[in-house]
Amino acid sequence: MSVLIAASRREAVSVTPVWFMRQAGRSLPEYHALRAGLPMLQVCQTPDLITEITLQPVRRHHVDAAILFSDIVLPLKTIGIDVEIKPGVGPVIGSPIRRSADVDKLRALTSEDVPYITEAVTELTKQLGDIPLIGFAGAPFTLASYLIEGGPSRDYARTKALMHSEPGTWHALCGRLADIAAEFLRVQIAAGARVVQLFDSWAGVLSEAEYRAYVQPHSARVLRACGELGVPRIHFGVGTGELLEPMASAGADVVGVDWRVPLDEASARIGPDYAVQGNLDPAVLLASETVVASEVARVLRQGRVAPGHIFNLGHGVLPQTDPGVLTRVVELVHSYSTESAAELVQHQRGGA
Amino acid sequence: MSVLIAASRREAVSVTPVWFMRQAGRSLPEYHALRAGLPMLQVCQTPDLITEITLQPVRRHHVDAAILFSDIVLPLKTIGIDVEIKPGVGPVIGSPIRRSADVDKLRALTSEDVPYITEAVTELTKQLGDIPLIGFAGAPFTLASYLIEGGPSRDYARTKALMHSEPGTWHALCGRLADIAAEFLRVQIAAGARVVQLFDSWAGVLSEAEYRAYVQPHSARVLRACGELGVPRIHFGVGTGELLEPMASAGADVVGVDWRVPLDEASARIGPDYAVQGNLDPAVLLASETVVASEVARVLRQGRVAPGHIFNLGHGVLPQTDPGVLTRVVELVHSYSTESAAELVQHQRGGA
């Protein structure tokens, strides 16, 4: 039985499961060697590359889960949206969606649009054995923000203006994006993904009132669709201290938390029906070994208060991270048994 | 008596005072006409331009306060740091500060370094009459982040790594920045500024534990220095929902709140000893007139719960904002008497 799946169901585990958002990819030299200048979205459509890149961090770090190497905008590309990932920038949309008529550009996704996903996930689950593969998709709000802004944004001004001024257009757009995300996850689950994570990376720019009115119903639809297929659902965003409860009640099993809210406090905000995931600040991995060990122990200690804890970072691995530090964090997390809280207080084994 | 100063002291006011962060500058056509291609930091060193740009929004919008037109990195430029404001980017530092020895580059600021500030503030307070001028400075953390990263950052990884790994260097750096900020504010107060705002714009990237250990003592020193001179102190940052209490107890009279935390909730977090400032989402100003009116009423209604409320945005005016909308917001805020809560619930006058 996978410790990650057990923890996500709030069952007892002997060690805390650990994986890292963005564990596959840019922090690993073997990834750069393999990718060798290919455009990101081309890599994400090539089964052998997806499979190999997804496996690299599992081999290297001995994490408790693999996460499919892909990108949240891939499904949009697949249904004909003009989108590229520009290095150092992020997704850039050729013709942003800002009017009711634009919404029709978003046709439904089917499994035939993403045969490489089915192929890669099937091969991955074979190779991974007992280690679960996490499927993933971008949540409607975060996808909508890229489509409306035309790329990454500092203020999400067009997105919020559309949301408030044209709620009909907004809900039509997010409804389609929810269907696309749900189908993208269904394909992954059908091919063997045993857990899913819904990334609403930028939801933290919203107030709770905005989140509940304009976002939660659409994310809930995606999460419900996965729930019907019986897989645990992780729901994650950055800077979501004010949104943890509605992100949980949207239909999550596990709520991802960034480093701003301690896990004991996060668990208090969402109550006993949810596990938590997080929340070491990725920037801390650039600090000294002593600091890393002490911070790992603190996160574990605070995570013990929750009814289930999956150790992770509070956001993705930074590209400049020394992969050796990630390996060491996995060893450290696994070195603490979940039964002995005392050693965490003393950080004794943390410095070993 | 200024309503802004009264509200900041939690005294009764007949209308809610209102001003906007970044009310001077980029959203106004008369600003672009006046600035005409001059580099930002040159404008900030020219008394006539500072004065005129500071006054423009007061004339146009009838706000209840002026805020000195300057930039938080100006004091750094003045003491010899190689810094420029790149359009579309922000402050860029020629030689970032990353070692203990680099800290010595930061010499103390004196009033003789900024004669144009004394001149502009003196002239401004003469012209403004009863309308108070808000002096301002960048807080040690936000200034340190620019110096360490070399410019704006997405993850503040170097800043956090230095903070955790070399606390001695960190505290030495922030100690000097606190002295610089305090002196920059003292100059403005001596010349007539009647309120100050300390901008810790990016403090919200920190956890509460980090803020308390590495940031609060330095900001407290700046705020204490201003408190000794008898002016009300506003303390502001973005995404600071977890930091409101330590930002208040650092020595603020008024805590600036962004749009993520409703003002009634913010006031509950900091208690009855502080006024609040905020917190209309600047992106909402791009939405329809009806939405703006309804959101203004909501912010006022939630602000009534606090023992003092200064209406403002949750962050600076976006450059693409229609200045006519800002004027209309001032009229709206002033149209509600602070005694009649019922009209706010109905938004009746909001749509008028």
Side-chain angles (χ1 to χ4, degrees):
Chain A
M1 171 63 162
S2 149
V3 283
L4 184 121
I5 290 173
S8 73
R9 295 190 169 136
R10 292 170 283 132
E11 294 164 6
V13 288
S14 55
V15 293
T16 303
V18 50
W19 69 282
F20 305 111
M21 289 184 276
R22 290 218 192 236
Q23 64 187 17
R26 57 195 189 172
S27 69
L28 297 183
E30 59 268 37
Y31 164 76
H32 292 287
L34 192 67
R35 182 169 157 186
L38 287 175
M40 175 66 182
L41 292 179
Q42 190 179 326
V43 175
C44 295
Q45 295 178 77
T46 309
D48 290 354
L49 291 175
I50 302 172
T51 304
E52 175 58 20
I53 294 169
T54 300
L55 291 171
Q56 284 174 346
V58 180
R59 288 191 205 111
R60 188 192 257 266
H61 302 312
H62 307 292
V63 281
D64 296 300
I67 181 158
L68 183 70
F69 185 77
S70 190
D71 190 279
I72 64 167
V73 300
L74 177 74
L76 303 179
K77 174 90 174 174
T78 297
I79 60 163
I81 299 292
D82 174 13
V83 53
E84 286 307 328
I85 312 273
K86 287 208 180 163
V89 177
V92 176
I93 310 288
S95 306
I97 289 185
R98 291 171 187 166
R99 271 170 238 84
S100 178
D102 295 336
V103 175
D104 290 331
K105 290 185 199 165
L106 295 171
R107 70 160 173 83
L109 179 87
T110 74
S111 63
E112 282 142 49
D113 293 313
V114 287
Y116 39 85
I117 296 288
T118 300
E119 191 180 334
V121 172
T122 304
E123 179 62 25
L124 277 165
T125 51
K126 201 186 302 171
Q127 293 204 31
L128 283 163
D130 290 343
I131 298 167
L133 177 74
I134 303 172
F136 94 105
F141 170 77
T142 292
L143 291 176
S145 80
Y146 285 128
L147 287 171
I148 295 166
E149 305 288 341
S153 174
R154 283 166 74 151
D155 47 44
Y156 299 87
R158 284 177 185 275
T159 307
K160 291 178 183 175
L162 182 78
M163 178 187 277
H164 283 287
S165 300
E166 297 184 43
T169 305
W170 173 262
H171 286 300
L173 172 60
C174 287
R176 293 207 182 198
L177 292 170
D179 288 342
I180 290 166
E183 184 57 27
F184 190 54
L185 289 169
R186 242 183 245 120
V187 170
Q188 297 173 57
I189 295 165
R194 292 165 62 200
V195 183
V196 294
Q197 177 157 324
L198 188 64
F199 282 82
D200 211 352
S201 307
W202 312 134
V205 302
L206 300 172
S207 69
E208 183 182 352
E210 286 171 327
Y211 184 83
R212 286 190 189 274
Y214 297 110
V215 176
Q216 195 197 34
H218 304 291
S219 296
R221 234 168 96 199
V222 183
L223 293 167
R224 203 156 48 229
C226 298
E228 284 162 9
L229 299 169
V231 298
R233 300 150 292 180
I234 309 170
H235 196 188
F236 171 76
V238 182
T240 52
E242 310 301 324
L243 308 179
L244 293 173
E245 198 290 316
M247 287 185 76
S249 61
D253 298 288
V254 183
V255 177
V257 182
D258 85 1
W259 61 89
R260 290 172 176 89
V261 183
L263 291 178
D264 48 355
E265 168 65 21
S267 186
R269 289 187 196 175
I270 60 182
D273 295 336
Y274 305 96
V276 294
Q277 175 175 281
N279 69 348
L280 186 68
D281 188 338
V284 162
L285 297 180
L286 308 185
S288 68
E289 202 177 322
T290 318
V291 171
V292 172
S294 148
E295 287 290 290
V296 166
R298 178 185 60 75
V299 168
L300 283 169
R301 203 166 62 237
Q302 292 169 336
R304 293 282 162 86
V305 176
H309 176 212
I310 298 169
F311 190 100
N312 205 317
L313 305 182
H315 198 187
V317 173
L318 297 170
Q320 65 269 45
T321 307
D322 173 358
V325 174
L326 291 169
T327 307
R328 177 79 185 121
V329 169
V330 175
E331 288 168 3
L332 260 175
V333 172
H334 286 162
S335 75
Y336 293 106
S337 111
T338 49
E339 286 173 18
S340 55
E343 36 176 27
L344 287 173
V345 176
Q346 293 165 31
H347 309 323
Q348 282 173 340
R349 298 173 64 184
Chain B
M1 172 63 162
S2 148
V3 284
L4 184 121
I5 290 174
S8 73
R9 294 192 170 133
R10 292 169 284 132
E11 294 164 7
V13 287
S14 54
V15 293
T16 303
V18 49
W19 69 281
F20 304 112
M21 290 184 276
R22 289 215 191 238
Q23 63 187 17
R26 58 199 187 169
S27 69
L28 298 184
E30 58 269 38
Y31 163 77
H32 292 288
L34 191 68
R35 181 170 158 187
L38 288 176
M40 174 67 181
L41 292 180
Q42 189 180 325
V43 174
C44 296
Q45 295 177 77
T46 309
D48 290 354
L49 292 175
I50 302 172
T51 304
E52 175 58 20
I53 294 169
T54 300
L55 290 172
Q56 284 174 345
V58 181
R59 288 190 206 114
R60 188 191 257 267
H61 302 313
H62 306 293
V63 282
D64 296 301
I67 181 159
L68 184 70
F69 184 77
S70 190
D71 190 279
I72 64 168
V73 300
L74 177 73
L76 303 178
K77 174 89 171 175
T78 298
I79 61 163
I81 299 293
D82 174 13
V83 52
E84 286 306 328
I85 313 273
K86 288 208 181 164
V89 177
V92 176
I93 310 289
S95 307
I97 288 186
R98 291 172 186 165
R99 270 169 239 86
S100 178
D102 295 336
V103 175
D104 290 331
K105 290 185 200 165
L106 295 170
R107 71 160 172 83
L109 179 85
T110 74
S111 63
E112 283 142 48
D113 292 314
V114 287
Y116 38 84
I117 296 289
T118 300
E119 191 179 334
V121 172
T122 304
E123 178 62 23
L124 277 164
T125 50
K126 203 186 301 173
Q127 293 204 29
L128 283 163
D130 289 343
I131 298 168
L133 177 75
I134 302 172
F136 93 104
F141 170 77
T142 292
L143 290 177
S145 80
Y146 285 127
L147 287 170
I148 295 165
E149 304 288 341
S153 173
R154 283 166 73 150
D155 47 44
Y156 300 85
R158 285 176 185 275
T159 306
K160 291 178 182 174
L162 181 78
M163 178 187 278
H164 282 288
S165 300
E166 297 184 44
T169 304
W170 172 262
H171 286 299
L173 172 60
C174 288
R176 294 206 183 200
L177 292 169
D179 288 342
I180 290 166
E183 184 57 28
F184 190 54
L185 289 169
R186 242 183 246 120
V187 169
Q188 296 173 56
I189 295 165
R194 292 165 61 199
V195 182
V196 294
Q197 176 157 324
L198 188 64
F199 282 82
D200 211 354
S201 308
W202 312 134
V205 302
L206 301 171
S207 69
E208 183 182 351
E210 287 171 325
Y211 184 82
R212 286 189 189 275
Y214 297 110
V215 176
Q216 195 197 33
H218 304 290
S219 296
R221 237 168 93 198
V222 182
L223 293 168
R224 203 157 47 230
C226 298
E228 285 163 6
L229 299 170
V231 299
R233 299 150 293 180
I234 308 169
H235 196 187
F236 171 76
V238 182
T240 51
E242 310 301 324
L243 308 180
L244 293 173
E245 198 290 316
M247 287 185 76
S249 61
D253 298 288
V254 183
V255 177
V257 182
D258 84 1
W259 61 89
R260 290 171 177 89
V261 183
L263 292 179
D264 48 355
E265 168 66 20
S267 186
R269 289 188 197 174
I270 59 182
D273 296 336
Y274 306 94
V276 295
Q277 176 176 279
N279 71 348
L280 186 68
D281 189 338
V284 163
L285 297 181
L286 308 186
S288 68
E289 202 177 323
T290 318
V291 171
V292 172
S294 148
E295 286 291 288
V296 166
R298 179 186 59 75
V299 168
L300 283 169
R301 203 167 61 237
Q302 293 169 336
R304 294 280 161 89
V305 176
H309 176 212
I310 298 169
F311 191 100
N312 205 318
L313 305 181
H315 198 186
V317 174
L318 296 170
Q320 65 269 45
T321 307
D322 173 357
V325 174
L326 291 170
T327 307
R328 178 79 186 122
V329 169
V330 175
E331 288 167 4
L332 261 175
V333 172
H334 285 163
S335 74
Y336 294 106
S337 111
T338 49
E339 287 175 17
S340 56
E343 36 174 29
L344 287 172
V345 175
Q346 293 166 31
H347 309 323
Q348 282 172 338
R349 297 174 63 184

